Amino acid sequence: MSEEPRARATLTDVAKAAGVSVGTASKALNDRFDVKSETKARVQRAAADLNFRPNALARGLLAGRTQSVGIVTNDLDGRFAPKIVVGVENALGADQSSVLLSITRGDPALEAHYIRGFQERRVDGILIVGNIPESRPPAQDLHDTPAVYVFAPSSDPRDASVIADNLAAGTMATKHLTDLGRRDIFHLGGRPGEVAARDRAEGTRSQLTAAGLPVSPFQILYGDWSEQWGWDAVGGILASGAAVDGLVCGDDTIARGAIDRLLAEGITIPDQVAVVGFDNRPVLAQYGRHPITSVDMELEAIGSRAAQALMTGHPAPGVLAHPGHVAARWSTLGTANQR
Amino acid sequence: MSEEPRARATLTDVAKAAGVSVGTASKALNDRFDVKSETKARVQRAAADLNFRPNALARGLLAGRTQSVGIVTNDLDGRFAPKIVVGVENALGADQSSVLLSITRGDPALEAHYIRGFQERRVDGILIVGNIPESRPPAQDLHDTPAVYVFAPSSDPRDASVIADNLAAGTMATKHLTDLGRRDIFHLGGRPGEVAARDRAEGTRSQLTAAGLPVSPFQILYGDWSEQWGWDAVGGILASGAAVDGLVCGDDTIARGAIDRLLAEGITIPDQVAVVGFDNRPVLAQYGRHPITSVDMELEAIGSRAAQALMTGHPAPGVLAHPGHVAARWSTLGTANQR
DNA sequence: CTGAAAGCGCTAACAT
DNA sequence: ATGTTAGCGCTTTCAG
């Protein structure tokens, strides 16, 4: 019964329908004070009828800001990046900003390409999210676009980075065990080439020392991030006859392997040996048959803090390390199942 | 030695620097034929010197298209959505389009809010990504914006949806076992209230029938998506004394629990009992101590197909179900470890 | 081959 | 309280 409203309604259309000028329509829709409330209502009615959506391109062109940030990430199907993105989105939602997402698959040329694209779209800033906690060279072609590196810090200290504090995490995990009175603690670390593995192990070392416990090199072991390594390491420790009443495992997969082996050997958890993991992965730590006490690195919080730093427009140089918290469960407490 | 180039260079700046008009500069940078190659080079030089980035807002305002699509998702830290987003990104990258991402946490009001925001930003289309495979009511306020529902189909058949084909997946998983000569097959399903659990189970039932095997109700069991259920179900089957040489488990967690129990009972895998899971989750199926044969739902492909459908501008109504494939591993083959 | 000018949709002066 | 106009940065006719 009406003309087909093919193209999107423009402010001019709304103004025409309401019988006012574009200027007045603009003020009415932006709820400015100098418009009679009656006309304001009339314009709003017309806008609703026409299903009007103000063109953010036109608005952004004029304003010089777009209320948007770009996220450049290596990879989204790892287990870190998605949570970081959620945190970013949370922090930005409060600011009515939206998120542009790109995935570089670790290709620096693709990264540069996406950064250029974001600059063309006039994002207000860029978050560069890594999927492993190793430091990385600064992004090319960033020029004066505000940027914050997340999870994988920039190797240039003048850049702003927000990362997980694996050293503090290692300390917390170990303190959880020493606070429970454990004294014969081993650390089953991940790959020794990776800084996360070394930092977590170093956290254990420093907390053992702080607790007045001796630390022998045989207590800090490295392997890889696998169940098999946790399984084998426990076998080795038991075979050696060494006393053990606590295990700090470099991540939840190692912890799972260690726990399965302990149980297979008839050892009771946590009475005889208490076990802590890292990463607090639901599938392993929370929903397995044997819930694992694990250090949650609070990746969402890391994302949020990075987004907040970016939104200032002038993120402070340097590295901000976020500590996380211990989610205590059966593998150290025997029953409780905290977040 | 030069003025500080505070604000971004504009095309006018470039034209000025190259000593041409904006019109000519525009043509030169867009590599149009009617520009002398010498001036073309001069303009490109100037653009590079000034670190010029064409303003996509201005361009989009003029063109009426923005080369961008919006993704509205419930949740990004589930295990499905991130892979779907990766697939979307892959398909779109080929088209120079970029992705706007939003997370609704399942709140319909927030969903409507984000959809409006995307419309204001003049996205070329919207993908509505669910985190569980249940159908959902159509999004509000979409009007004539092209949209495709992904993973969670729209309940309105006039909408376009791309989903995982759980029925086909159940059939494939079971066929993998019957092809290996297994005849006494049980299905350990997930929550009976969920369509994914029912479809996968129905796939098993239909393949058993197709293979000429009798199907008793006691072979199709439901529980929940947990290791504990897999563990308990195996215990029950063994206690019943029923013959069993194959298990189709509703997901990888159930399969993991089932495998752990079989091994704990001294049963050899796959010789005595072969086990298949679903979802092909790396942490369980690939990197556990006992690699699990699992149906990969190919979520990336689902995302890509949805993006491609969207890019036509007129996605075809109806539901497109994507079948996935079997990733065969130790739990059915004994040794091989395929993707 | 190059320049001038209109206009995409909107907001912010400035008039009235 | 409302209308008019300039202009954000770009592409695209249309002249020259």
Side-chain angles (χ1 to χ4, degrees):
Chain A
M1 135 178 100
S2 59
E3 323 275 301
E4 45 177 341
R6 242 346 0 140
R8 275 227 162 275
T10 136
L11 187 59
T12 311
D13 299 332
V14 174
K16 208 166 294 173
V20 296
S21 72
V22 275
T24 304
S26 172
K27 289 172 201 157
L29 291 176
N30 291 316
D31 208 27
R32 300 285 289 275
F33 65 100
D34 52 354
V35 183
K36 205 196 325 180
S37 63
E38 189 223 322
T39 38
K40 207 178 276 189
R42 197 149 34 92
V43 172
Q44 286 164 346
R45 205 47 240 303
D49 287 351
L50 292 170
N51 189 24
F52 172 71
R53 297 284 180 275
N55 188 323
L57 302 177
R59 194 176 265 173
L61 189 55
L62 216 45
R65 301 195 77 234
T66 54
Q67 303 282 93
S68 65
V69 317
I71 296 183
V72 176
T73 170
N74 275 337
D75 167 18
L76 202 67
D77 58 355
R79 56 191 188 283
F80 305 121
K83 298 209 76 158
I84 291 170
V85 172
V86 169
V88 170
E89 229 276 345
N90 272 352
L92 254 38
D95 197 49
Q96 301 281 350
S97 283
S98 53
V99 171
L100 284 152
L101 183 76
S102 66
I103 303 175
T104 64
R105 281 167 275 287
D107 177 351
L110 206 50
E111 178 176 282
H113 169 80
Y114 279 121
I115 288 175
R116 293 180 65 107
F118 285 163
Q119 289 168 334
E120 296 182 358
R121 291 187 147 82
R122 297 298 188 267
V123 297
D124 301 326
I126 296 182
L127 291 167
I128 298 168
V129 178
N131 60 344
I132 50 168
E134 302 288 322
S135 84
R136 47 150 294 156
Q140 299 300 308
D141 280 327
L142 221 32
H143 298 102
D144 53 354
T145 308
V148 176
Y149 294 78
V150 194
F151 202 63
S154 168
S155 56
D156 184 335
R158 291 167 302 179
D159 293 328
S161 304
V162 180
I163 66 170
D165 190 339
N166 285 305
L167 188 62
T171 302
M172 291 169 51
T174 309
K175 182 164 189 304
H176 179 70
L177 293 182
T178 55
D179 284 352
L180 290 169
R182 308 296 164 140
R183 301 185 51 86
D184 299 308
I185 295 171
F186 284 72
H187 184 102
L188 309 185
R191 285 217 167 74
E194 298 183 23
V195 68
R198 292 196 308 271
D199 284 353
R200 288 170 179 183
E202 184 52 34
T204 289
R205 188 193 311 275
S206 88
Q207 170 58 21
L208 289 179
T209 303
L213 298 168
V215 188
S216 100
F218 303 106
Q219 282 170 262
I220 312 288
L221 307 172
Y222 288 96
D224 56 23
W225 311 103
S226 72
E227 290 190 39
Q228 189 65 51
W229 157 236
W231 176 276
D232 291 343
V234 166
I237 291 169
L238 295 178
S240 78
V244 51
D245 62 5
L247 291 178
V248 179
C249 301
D251 76 355
D252 291 332
T253 61
I254 298 171
R256 173 66 185 257
I259 287 171
D260 283 354
R261 182 61 178 268
L262 288 167
L263 294 174
E265 301 285 350
I267 290 171
T268 59
I269 299 172
D271 294 350
Q272 291 178 266
V273 179
V275 181
V276 186
F278 291 82
D279 294 346
N280 200 18
R281 300 179 67 176
V283 62
L284 294 168
Q286 207 170 344
Y287 297 121
R289 285 195 308 117
H290 303 294
I292 306 172
T293 295
S294 186
V295 183
D296 189 316
M297 304 308 296
E298 295 178 3
L299 297 170
E300 289 195 26
I302 289 173
S304 293
R305 293 180 75 161
Q308 280 156 5
L310 188 64
M311 285 189 296
T312 64
H314 290 286
V319 175
L320 177 63
H322 183 88
H325 72 272
V326 174
R329 303 199 178 86
W330 169 87
S331 70
T332 58
L333 301 186
T335 53
N337 198 351
Q338 299 181 9
R339 76 215 141 100
Chain B
M1 132 177 104
S2 58
E3 323 275 301
E4 46 176 339
R6 240 349 1 143
R8 277 228 163 274
T10 134
L11 186 58
T12 310
D13 300 332
V14 173
K16 209 165 289 173
V20 296
S21 71
V22 276
T24 304
S26 171
K27 290 170 200 159
L29 291 176
N30 292 315
D31 208 28
R32 301 285 289 275
F33 65 100
D34 52 354
V35 183
K36 207 197 323 185
S37 63
E38 190 222 321
T39 34
K40 206 178 277 189
R42 195 150 35 91
V43 173
Q44 285 163 348
R45 202 52 235 304
D49 287 350
L50 292 170
N51 188 25
F52 173 71
R53 297 282 181 277
N55 187 323
L57 302 176
R59 194 177 264 173
L61 188 55
L62 217 43
R65 301 194 77 236
T66 53
Q67 304 281 92
S68 64
V69 316
I71 296 183
V72 176
T73 171
N74 272 339
D75 167 18
L76 203 66
D77 60 353
R79 55 193 190 283
F80 305 122
K83 300 208 76 159
I84 291 170
V85 172
V86 169
V88 169
E89 229 275 345
N90 272 352
L92 254 37
D95 197 49
Q96 302 280 347
S97 284
S98 53
V99 172
L100 284 152
L101 184 75
S102 64
I103 303 175
T104 65
R105 279 169 277 286
D107 177 350
L110 206 50
E111 178 175 281
H113 169 81
Y114 279 121
I115 288 175
R116 292 180 66 108
F118 285 162
Q119 288 168 335
E120 294 181 0
R121 290 186 148 84
R122 295 299 188 266
V123 297
D124 300 327
I126 295 182
L127 290 168
I128 298 168
V129 178
N131 62 344
I132 51 167
E134 302 288 322
S135 83
R136 48 152 291 158
Q140 298 302 307
D141 279 327
L142 221 33
H143 297 102
D144 53 354
T145 308
V148 176
Y149 295 78
V150 194
F151 201 63
S154 168
S155 56
D156 185 335
R158 291 166 302 179
D159 292 328
S161 305
V162 181
I163 65 171
D165 190 339
N166 284 306
L167 188 62
T171 303
M172 292 170 52
T174 310
K175 184 166 187 305
H176 179 71
L177 293 182
T178 54
D179 284 352
L180 289 169
R182 308 296 165 138
R183 303 184 49 86
D184 299 308
I185 295 171
F186 284 72
H187 184 101
L188 309 184
R191 284 215 167 77
E194 298 183 23
V195 67
R198 291 196 308 270
D199 284 353
R200 288 171 180 183
E202 184 51 34
T204 289
R205 188 193 309 275
S206 88
Q207 171 57 22
L208 289 179
T209 303
L213 297 169
V215 188
S216 99
F218 303 106
Q219 282 170 263
I220 311 287
L221 308 173
Y222 288 96
D224 57 23
W225 312 102
S226 73
E227 290 192 39
Q228 189 64 51
W229 157 235
W231 176 275
D232 291 342
V234 167
I237 292 169
L238 295 178
S240 78
V244 53
D245 62 4
L247 292 178
V248 178
C249 299
D251 77 355
D252 291 333
T253 60
I254 298 171
R256 173 67 184 257
I259 287 172
D260 283 354
R261 182 62 178 269
L262 288 167
L263 294 174
E265 301 285 349
I267 291 170
T268 60
I269 299 173
D271 294 350
Q272 291 178 265
V273 179
V275 181
V276 186
F278 291 81
D279 295 345
N280 200 19
R281 300 180 67 174
V283 62
L284 293 168
Q286 207 170 345
Y287 298 120
R289 286 193 311 116
H290 304 293
I292 306 173
T293 294
S294 186
V295 182
D296 189 316
M297 303 309 295
E298 294 177 4
L299 297 171
E300 290 195 25
I302 289 172
S304 294
R305 293 180 75 163
Q308 281 156 4
L310 188 64
M311 286 189 295
T312 64
H314 290 286
V319 176
L320 178 62
H322 183 88
H325 72 273
V326 173
R329 302 199 177 86
W330 169 88
S331 70
T332 58
L333 301 185
T335 53
N337 198 352
Q338 301 181 9
R339 77 213 141 100

